[in-house]
Amino acid sequence: MAAEAGASSFMLNVCGQIESVELPHYDYIFLIYQFVHGDDWERVLGLEEGVSQLSSKSADVRGLHAFAFPVEVTFKSTNPHGWPQLVVTALGTDIWGNQVVRGYSVCHLPMQPGRVTKRVPLFAPQSSSLMSKLQGLMQSEHPLYTDPKILGQGQGRQVTRVRSLGQMTLNFSTSMKNTRALGYQLLPGENFGAAAAM
Amino acid sequence: MAEVHVIGQIVGASEFPENDLFCKWEAHFGPAWKRLQGEVSGQTQVDCPASGEMAYFAHPIDLHFATRGLQGWPKLHFEVFHYDWAGRSSLVGYGFAHVPSQPGLHKIDCVTWRPTGSFMDEVSSKFVGGGIQLKRPDLVYELHDRRNVHSTAGGKVHLELSVILRNFDKFGVEC
């Protein structure tokens, strides 16, 4: 299909899944994902927030949480700046039966068409002192981000202390529309300019 | 105008003597380049890993430049610090990496080094903590004469950056 002449925006379509999570310390886990993106981006299709099933660790040596949780989204944009990022929160239950955050992960959606598998680290914010940590354990108040979307930006992260404690495996299949028509070169070896400049 | 987008993450750092680390970063570029959007510097979270030897920062970088020339291609410079149990930070590595000029996804391992002091400096840094730092951090990424600096290897900073170019072909530039 020929690119639309005079297009002013391009589209990004990502289909994939959160395959599995390795969080050896914790058993009952479920995931919530959200997208963070710049002002030039608009989500055209797909969920704003996805909630997965509750998973128990596998009984074998892997101790794996397998989710196979679909992520399908289409964005429209006029500018690659603010490229969407997927922020995932892993939640579990503590000994008192309350929901607590076990870890966060953040990664950009792919910027090249094609299929890719990614392994992304999971980390959890830490209490700033031993006292608040003990208090948190007793009162079921673990540190968490008031808005996980802060992980999509660089500012304000310098004051956070975290503990990385697991990995998440995801795969994405990505396609774009009109990026070439707008002059963007996403992959090496594309030399379409000679035709466009004439 | 030709445009360059650099979008990705400072993934983490590994192979340092201690694992509780954070990183300060800054982007530098020549006069032909103009930053249109994005932060040019920042500081990552402090990671104290539960296991393994890699500290993970997952710190986003999203820069948008316009340029009139190839000289002064942007580079990112890093300072890795160790955050100890008492909350003090000491420098454990300086490094820099050029933004790749080829479009696509790049996984970059950026080597770092730290300045080595005299024997007394090294001994006192073992007991008291802290370490020596450069008076002029631009020595790390500029084309200066470094002959008076004695350094020791640090670990590596891991980056995952995607580069998107726009209109380079219209100016006859091949990347």
Side-chain angles (χ1 to χ4, degrees):
Chain A
M1 202 195 258
E4 292 165 13
S8 58
S9 62
F10 63 91
M11 295 185 62
L12 168 71
N13 185 57
V14 175
C15 340
Q17 55 171 267
I18 299 176
E19 291 181 6
S20 60
V21 165
E22 289 152 43
L23 258 185
H25 300 93
Y26 302 115
D27 201 350
Y28 298 95
I29 295 284
F30 71 98
L31 307 174
I32 297 183
Y33 74 73
Q34 299 166 307
F35 295 102
V36 181
H37 53 79
D39 296 329
D40 296 317
W41 289 78
E42 185 196 333
R43 185 175 41 86
V44 167
L45 274 177
L47 300 171
E48 186 179 336
E49 194 176 90
V51 184
S52 78
Q53 74 271 31
L54 178 68
S55 154
S56 282
K57 255 192 316 195
S58 65
D60 52 33
V61 297
R62 297 172 305 166
L64 192 70
H65 291 277
F67 288 97
F69 182 31
V71 176
E72 285 172 32
V73 68
T74 305
F75 283 95
K76 184 171 159 175
S77 175
T78 52
N79 183 0
H81 182 74
W83 199 279
Q85 299 177 67
L86 182 73
V87 174
V88 182
T89 309
L91 292 135
T93 318
D94 69 359
I95 50 169
W96 311 115
N98 299 315
Q99 210 171 80
V100 289
V101 170
R102 292 304 188 198
Y104 295 95
S105 78
V106 57
C107 73
H108 281 95
L109 294 184
M111 276 155 268
Q112 300 80 30
R115 189 181 192 274
V116 68
T117 303
K118 285 183 148 184
R119 258 172 81 83
V120 183
L122 280 149
F123 50 85
Q126 295 293 289
S127 307
S128 44
S129 70
L130 189 56
M131 263 323 288
S132 56
K133 185 172 175 176
L134 288 172
Q135 210 172 348
L137 279 171
M138 293 287 105
Q139 294 172 357
S140 222
E141 280 164 14
H142 296 252
L144 50 83
Y145 293 110
T146 46
D147 183 2
K149 293 191 180 191
I150 196 184
L151 292 173
Q153 65 188 52
Q155 284 168 314
R157 301 276 294 274
Q158 67 264 28
V159 294
T160 54
R161 197 159 63 90
V162 305
R163 190 163 138 99
S164 52
L165 36 61
Q167 298 277 332
M168 177 180 302
T169 306
L170 313 104
N171 68 56
F172 296 116
S173 285
T174 311
S175 45
M176 331 264 188
K177 183 180 179 193
N178 286 340
T179 45
R180 252 187 223 190
L182 290 169
Y184 290 108
Q185 199 179 340
L186 304 169
L187 287 169
E190 284 181 346
N191 227 342
F192 45 87
M198 279 190 239
Chain B
M1 279 282 246
E3 292 171 42
V4 176
H5 289 268
V6 185
I7 304 173
Q9 272 190 3
I10 305 176
V11 176
S14 66
E15 296 176 29
F16 284 92
E18 297 91 6
N19 294 329
D20 296 356
L21 304 167
F22 68 93
C23 177
K24 288 192 193 180
W25 70 276
E26 211 172 321
H28 302 275
F29 42 93
W33 292 74
K34 183 171 169 204
R35 178 190 66 93
L36 296 177
Q37 291 172 296
E39 299 293 320
V40 285
S41 65
Q43 188 173 317
T44 70
Q45 63 198 18
V46 178
D47 184 29
C48 310
S51 61
E53 285 137 25
M54 180 134 163
Y56 287 103
F57 306 133
H59 192 92
I61 292 184
D62 193 333
L63 283 161
H64 180 193
F65 294 104
T67 181
R68 289 178 282 115
L70 291 176
Q71 290 72 28
W73 194 279
K75 41 195 156 179
L76 302 170
H77 121 250
F78 304 102
E79 293 177 16
V80 184
F81 290 85
H82 162 57
Y83 185 85
D84 71 8
W85 62 273
R88 298 170 304 189
S89 41
S90 55
L91 181 99
V92 289
Y94 288 113
F96 88 98
H98 280 98
V99 163
S101 50
Q102 194 186 52
L105 176 67
H106 302 273
K107 295 199 182 174
I108 300 170
D109 289 341
C110 172
V111 301
T112 65
W113 53 271
R114 63 171 180 85
T116 323
S118 62
F119 175 70
M120 283 316 295
D121 288 331
E122 296 287 303
V123 165
S124 82
S125 113
K126 270 216 164 32
F127 287 102
V128 176
I132 59 173
Q133 299 188 17
L134 291 173
K135 266 200 233 174
R136 292 180 49 195
D138 67 348
L139 195 80
V140 179
Y141 53 87
E142 291 293 357
L143 297 165
H144 291 316
D145 195 349
R146 292 183 179 184
R147 73 185 77 190
N148 294 323
V149 179
H150 177 205
S151 70
T152 309
K156 290 185 182 150
V157 177
H158 303 278
L159 310 170
E160 206 174 280
L161 295 175
S162 281
V163 172
I164 297 176
L165 303 180
R166 191 181 194 195
N167 295 335
F168 270 62
D169 44 313
K170 288 207 178 89
F171 292 94
V173 177
E174 281 149 44
C175 282

